[in-house]
């Protein structure tokens, strides 16, 4: 049995589960009391992370977790493990508005789709609600297929334009009378269409008059037959039909999304609930569908102009001689034949996901803001760019911009050690090693002037916390680590150029600022729609440390 109490000042309020789930707030202080007749372990885990043993006390058949913010830095669904018994929590947050978290997700999604998966935990516990989310397996395959379809048919267009399949067909049409256009079919047609002859007895003797049943008349129109190359073939009908079917699928997909999900930005709320984040895959899917729809329509218009007067045929194609023998038609057939197999299912089974570390999400968001700022400021054609990642999560570990004059390197979660470790990738060293072997800031930016043999180091640390908490609690500790107890190998009196703490706020603060002395210290704001401070910081240091010809103004 588990009892949970939220501690608000001197009051304790018991939290009761709903559908076996406890709802708590990330910044709330809680006291937890677990009771069991048979306790085999005193260890307690949130997901796979152990609770500090100093917070745990045992009294007979009870385990008590003393008052603390146990859910800080978590968001969404998480499991708490007492004595190998699992309890489920829905953790709401208040540090960032939900719309801002959505913006962070979508920003990272646009940068690199695979990054999104990094921030979902591997929890094996499924929750069965009547209203579930989505499983995008089939739908994502459809989107991938359409992207492939666009790419292949765009490349094949030149071949279709150069060698379109056509057949020789007789075209029967009515035209003004001309003796040179008369064919074997003309007389039969005229006898069946006497209204096309103007009869008048005064026309007797006219050089163009004809005599029919002792009456004289002039022929107005006749039926002629011409041989033409027609594109209205089965194969071309199938090609245009494939475009039509794809557009129908995309339109239906968008309709399903917009009729079931509010794709507009969320209303402002003090607390953010993970369940609302289920909209994000739909938003992503809707945006992708809209973008693909435009691309398909543009390509479809090109093929329609090429295959004039061709009626689209929507059906599973049959392998014909043309599809089998003409290479571009063969490639088209191999793609189109599977089109009907791709479907979307927005309401299948869904495993409720859990963002295991919102602080990690915030770190990587800022990693890409920093990286974007560097790329937008440098004249990239004047640098050799290389990136490295040996991490399991595939997040960038190091990226370098180099030429004959300068080297700019950005590390994410770099570990640097004391002087006892001789071979290190960077010249930054930990001075005081009594309390541990290394330091591990979020970001280290190194700028080397190869001509003047000068080096500068900028340390940035992202803190997913409130301004006052960062300034009063984190800043003194990080000054001790990254300024007082950090030196530069080979430079006795040199320190890092600056220390910056990045927070999810609308404004920051310059703690120590100088144009003549280093290091400088600052708290920098960075969150969706408020990244200017961080971008300005990166732009400013690049302008100061690099030659003018290497940066964009």
């Amino acid at each position: 049995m588990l009892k949970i109490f939220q501690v608000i000042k001197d009051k304790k309020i018991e939290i009761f589960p709903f559908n076996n789930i406890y709802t708590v707030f990330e910044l709330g202080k809680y006291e937890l009391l677990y009771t069991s007749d048979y306790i085999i372990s005193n260890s307690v885990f949130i997901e796979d992370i152990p609770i500090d043993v100093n917070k745990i006390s045992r009294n007979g058949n009870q385990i008590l977790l003393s008052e603390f913010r146990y859910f800080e830095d978590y968001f969404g669904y998480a499991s708490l493990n007492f004595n190998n018994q699992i309890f489920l929590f829905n953790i709401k947050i208040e540090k960032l508005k939900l719309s801002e978290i959505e913006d962070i997700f979508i920003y990272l999604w646009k940068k690199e789709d695979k990054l999104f998966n990094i921030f979902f935990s591997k929890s094996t516990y499924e929750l069965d609600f009547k209203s579930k989310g989505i499983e995008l397996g089939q739908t994502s395959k459809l989107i991938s297929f359409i992207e492939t379809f666009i790419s292949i048919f765009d490349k094949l267009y030149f071949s279709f334009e150069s060698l379109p399949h056509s057949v020789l067909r007789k075209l029967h049409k009515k035209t003004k009378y001309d003796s040179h256009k008369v064919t074997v079919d003309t007389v039969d047609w005229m006898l069946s269409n006497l209204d096309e002859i103007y009869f008048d007895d005064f026309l007797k003797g006219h050089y163009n008059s004809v005599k029919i049943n002792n009456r004289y008349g002039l022929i107005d129109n006749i039926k002629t037959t011409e041989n033409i190359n027609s594109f209205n073939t089965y194969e071309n009908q199938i090609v245009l039909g494939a475009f039509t079917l794809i557009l129908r699928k995309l339109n239906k997909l968008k309709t399903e999304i917009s009729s079931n999900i509010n794709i507009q930005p969320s209303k402002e709320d003090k607390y953010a609930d993970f369940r609302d984040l289920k909209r994000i895959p739909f938003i992503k899917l809707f945006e992708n569908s809209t973008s693909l729809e435009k691309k398909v329509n543009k390509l479809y218009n090109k093929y329609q102009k090429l295959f004039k007067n061709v009626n689209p045929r929507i059906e599973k194609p049959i392998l014909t001689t043309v599809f089998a023998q003409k290479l571009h038609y063969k490639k088209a057939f191999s793609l189109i034949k599977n089109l009907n197999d791709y479907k979307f299912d927005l309401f299948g089974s869904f495993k409720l996901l859990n963002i295991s570390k919102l602080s990690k999400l915030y770190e990587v968001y800022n990693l890409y803001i920093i990286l974007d700022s560097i790329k937008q400021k440098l004249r990239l054609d004047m640098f050799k760019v290389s990136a490295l990642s040996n991490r399991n999560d595939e997040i960038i570990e190091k990226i370098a911009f180099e030429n004959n004059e300068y080297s700019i390197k950005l590390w994410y979660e770099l570990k640097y050690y004391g002087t006892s470790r001789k071979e290190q990738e960077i010249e930054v060293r930990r001075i005081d090693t009594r309390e541990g072997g290394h330091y591990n800031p979020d970001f280290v930016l190194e700028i080397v002037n190869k001509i003047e043999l000068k080096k500068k180091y900028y340390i940035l640390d992202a803190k997913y916390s409130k301004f006052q908490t960062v300034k009063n609690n984190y800043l003194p500790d990080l000054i001790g680590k990254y300024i007082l107890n950090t030196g530069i190998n080979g430079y006795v009196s040199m320190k890092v150029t600056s220390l910056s703490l990045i927070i999810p706020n609308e404004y920051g603060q310059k703690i120590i600022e100088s144009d003549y002395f280093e290091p400088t210290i600052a708290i920098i704001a960075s969150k969706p729609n408020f990244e200017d401070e961080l971008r300005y910081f990166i732009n400013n240091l690049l302008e100061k440390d690099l030659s003018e010809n290497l940066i964009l103004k």
Side-chain angles (χ1 to χ4, degrees), residues 158-204:
F158 177 75
S159 299
F160 277 106
E161 186 180 39
S162 304
L163 297 169
H165 176 58
S166 63
V167 294
L168 196 63
R169 287 201 173 103
K170 292 183 181 298
L171 176 65
H172 303 288
K173 66 178 183 179
K174 193 165 69 171
T175 186
K176 286 294 183 181
Y177 173 75
D178 185 338
S179 60
H180 299 293
K181 295 181 179 180
V182 174
T183 66
V184 293
D185 299 321
T186 303
V187 175
D188 290 337
W189 181 83
M190 284 182 58
L191 292 175
S192 300
N193 296 272
L194 293 176
D195 58 329
E196 295 290 346
I197 302 175
Y198 173 67
F199 289 100
D200 194 315
D201 290 340
F202 290 105
L203 293 175
K204 182 180 178 180

Side-chain angles (χ1 to χ4, degrees), residues 3 8 12 62 78 89 157-158 165 179 189 217-218 244 251 260 292 300 316 326 366 393 405 430 454 468 489 496 522:
K3 285 193 172 185
I8 302 176
K12 291 184 181 180
Q62 292 185 326
F89 290 79
Y157 181 78
F158 177 75
H165 176 58
S179 60
W189 181 83
L218 289 177
T244 304
N251 184 61
N260 288 280
L292 287 174
Y300 184 33
K316 194 173 182 68
K326 293 188 176 182
N366 284 295
D393 56 22
E405 299 177 46
R430 175 171 177 168
K454 291 182 178 179
Q468 290 301 329
N489 191 39
V496 298

Side-chain angles (χ1 to χ4, degrees), residues 474-491:
Y474 288 110
L475 183 59
D477 178 59
L478 295 184
I479 289 174
K481 284 182 178 180
Y482 301 138
I483 292 181
L484 300 180
N485 282 325
T486 292
I488 312 301
N489 191 39
Y491 300 85

Side-chain angles (χ1 to χ4, degrees), residues 11 68 82 98 131 150-151 172 217 230 243 250 252 283 330-331 353 356 404 422 462 471 489 501 507:
K11 294 182 180 180
F68 189 67
F82 273 95
L98 180 61
S131 176
I150 294 169
S151 175
H172 303 288
S230 173
F243 281 94
L250 286 172
K252 186 177 179 182
I283 295 171
K330 185 176 182 179
K331 289 180 179 178
L353 302 174
S356 58
N404 293 331
K422 301 300 180 184
K471 184 177 180 180
N489 191 39
L501 278 67
Y507 59 87

Side-chain angles (χ1 to χ4, degrees), residues 125-142:
Y125 310 106
E126 294 185 31
L127 306 181
D128 186 17
F129 288 103
K130 291 180 180 178
S131 176
K132 295 186 178 181
I134 62 171
E135 196 284 308
L136 291 177
Q138 289 189 60
T139 311
S140 61
K141 288 177 183 176
L142 170 64

Side-chain angles (χ1 to χ4, degrees), residues 316-428:
K316 194 173 182 68
I318 300 169
L319 183 62
T320 63
T321 303
V322 174
F323 276 138
Q325 295 182 354
K326 293 188 176 182
L327 184 58
H328 51 302
Y329 279 91
K330 185 176 182 179
K331 289 180 179 178
F333 175 82
S334 64
L335 196 63
I336 296 170
K337 69 179 181 179
N338 296 319
L339 176 55
N340 282 305
D341 297 334
Y342 289 89
K343 303 174 182 179
F344 64 85
D345 178 14
L346 295 182
F347 301 100
S349 61
F350 178 72
K351 292 182 179 179
L352 286 170
L353 302 174
N354 157 83
I355 302 173
S356 58
K357 281 287 184 180
L358 195 54
S359 62
K360 180 66 66 177
L361 175 71
Y362 184 64
E363 286 174 13
V364 179
Y365 166 74
N366 284 295
L367 170 64
Y368 274 79
I369 294 292
I370 293 170
L371 189 53
D372 269 359
S373 301
I374 295 173
K375 287 181 176 180
Q376 290 171 13
K377 192 64 178 176
L378 295 182
R379 294 186 181 274
L380 292 177
D381 59 328
M382 304 183 75
F383 290 88
K384 178 183 177 183
V385 184
S386 59
L388 171 71
S389 179
N390 291 320
R391 300 166 59 105
N392 292 330
D393 56 22
E394 299 185 56
I395 298 175
I396 291 173
E397 188 173 353
K398 170 189 171 184
I399 187 164
F401 305 82
E402 299 198 61
N403 60 24
N404 293 331
E405 299 177 46
Y406 291 92
S407 168
I408 303 150
K409 294 178 182 177
L410 175 66
W411 284 271
Y412 174 56
E413 291 192 332
L414 171 74
K415 293 179 180 179
Y416 62 88
Y417 300 80
T419 54
S420 60
R421 179 173 292 202
K422 301 300 180 184
E423 294 185 8
Q424 296 189 48
E425 192 174 6
I426 195 170
E427 297 301 334
V428 177

Side-chain angles (χ1 to χ4, degrees), residues 204-216:
K204 182 180 178 180
H206 191 285
Y207 70 96
N208 263 344
S209 66
V210 294
K211 183 180 181 181
I212 300 176
N213 295 329
N214 293 320
R215 297 181 66 192
Y216 293 90

